[in-house]
Amino acid sequence: MRAIYPGNFDPITYGHIDIINRAVKIFDEVIIAVSSGSQKQTLFTPAERANMIKKSVKSLKNAKTEIFEGLIVNYAKKKKASVILRGLRMISDFEYEFQMALTNRKLNPSVETIFMMPAESYSYLSSKLIKEAASLGADLKGFVPAFVDAALKKRLKRIAPFGKAK
Ligand code: ADP
């Protein structure tokens, strides 16, 4: 069975990696699908985000990373994936995920959304929080791989605080 794990992954964190590590043990193939047409403004381009994911999961033989555009249910159909995989952290994720899962079911009843929970230690971790912490100079060891930390520091330095672009 093939599963699609969609998201922005801006950037990938150990929370996402935890979910992927669990998923590859259950599904024959896991396609990590990076959204390229997000409403949200992202810090990294789709290609940059996909490259960071590829580097993070390169040891997992049945994990593949791709960039997608448009509706995830259409992409799932195109890829012949019967499962959309999502991670659930806190109760705060629930309402949005519930709405999205039911909307996607309406759009394509043959694709099932499955939720997985990360290890407790990652259940509060989000890309948004990581970006905020990085912009304040936090040590991100334990939250993201070292090369993601370095990419964040580099990108945020270029944007430069207080409008002083370098
Ligand atoms: P979104 O698509 O909402 O922007 P992300 O790209 O950050 O979210 O994440 C993609 C998927 O991974 C979502 O299902 C999200 O809930 C899940 N996720 C993000 N961070 C974690 C985490 N720390 N633990 C478990 N799941 C997570």
Side-chain angles (χ1 to χ4, degrees):
M1 198 182 271
R2 183 177 287 155
I4 292 217
Y5 180 36
N8 286 307
F9 305 99
D10 186 44
I12 188 161
T13 70
Y14 283 138
H16 298 121
I17 295 170
D18 180 286
I19 296 292
I20 297 164
N21 275 314
R22 290 171 198 281
V24 291
K25 292 185 198 133
I26 297 172
F27 301 102
D28 300 312
E29 188 177 47
V30 176
I31 300 177
I32 305 147
V34 180
S35 167
S36 65
S38 175
Q39 311 268 34
K40 291 184 196 167
Q41 217 186 343
T42 56
L43 188 61
F44 295 102
T45 65
E48 287 171 331
R49 286 179 269 143
N51 284 336
M52 284 190 265
I53 298 170
K54 281 182 189 160
K55 215 166 156 178
S56 306
V57 304
K58 65 172 185 290
S59 63
L60 305 173
K61 296 286 164 270
N62 56 338
K64 245 169 95 177
T65 308
E66 293 176 358
I67 295 171
F68 82 101
E69 219 181 340
L71 280 175
I72 190 63
V73 282
N74 292 347
Y75 193 66
K77 194 172 171 188
K78 186 173 148 198
K79 291 285 155 181
K80 296 186 171 59
S82 48
V83 167
I84 293 173
L85 180 67
R86 296 287 288 175
L88 263 191
R89 288 161 290 189
M90 306 290 189
I91 294 174
S92 53
D93 276 344
F94 182 77
E95 199 176 344
Y96 174 71
E97 293 293 341
F98 188 80
Q99 274 178 0
M100 202 156 70
L102 292 187
T103 305
N104 283 336
R105 180 180 286 163
K106 192 101 184 158
L107 293 170
N108 186 346
S110 62
V111 180
E112 202 62 56
T113 303
I114 291 184
F115 296 97
M116 294 184 83
M117 274 169 263
E120 235 171 273
S121 47
Y122 301 132
S123 62
Y124 58 91
L125 196 56
S126 71
S127 299
K128 184 168 177 260
L129 188 92
I130 287 302
K131 283 179 277 191
E132 280 170 14
S135 70
L136 298 170
D139 179 5
L140 299 177
K141 203 162 68 197
F143 298 133
V144 296
F147 71 89
V148 173
D149 187 5
L152 271 166
K153 299 255 158 73
K154 200 168 154 198
R155 180 59 45 92
L156 291 166
K157 206 165 105 196
R158 237 185 45 208
I159 291 170
F162 316 117
K164 278 195 273 171
K166 285 193 179 169

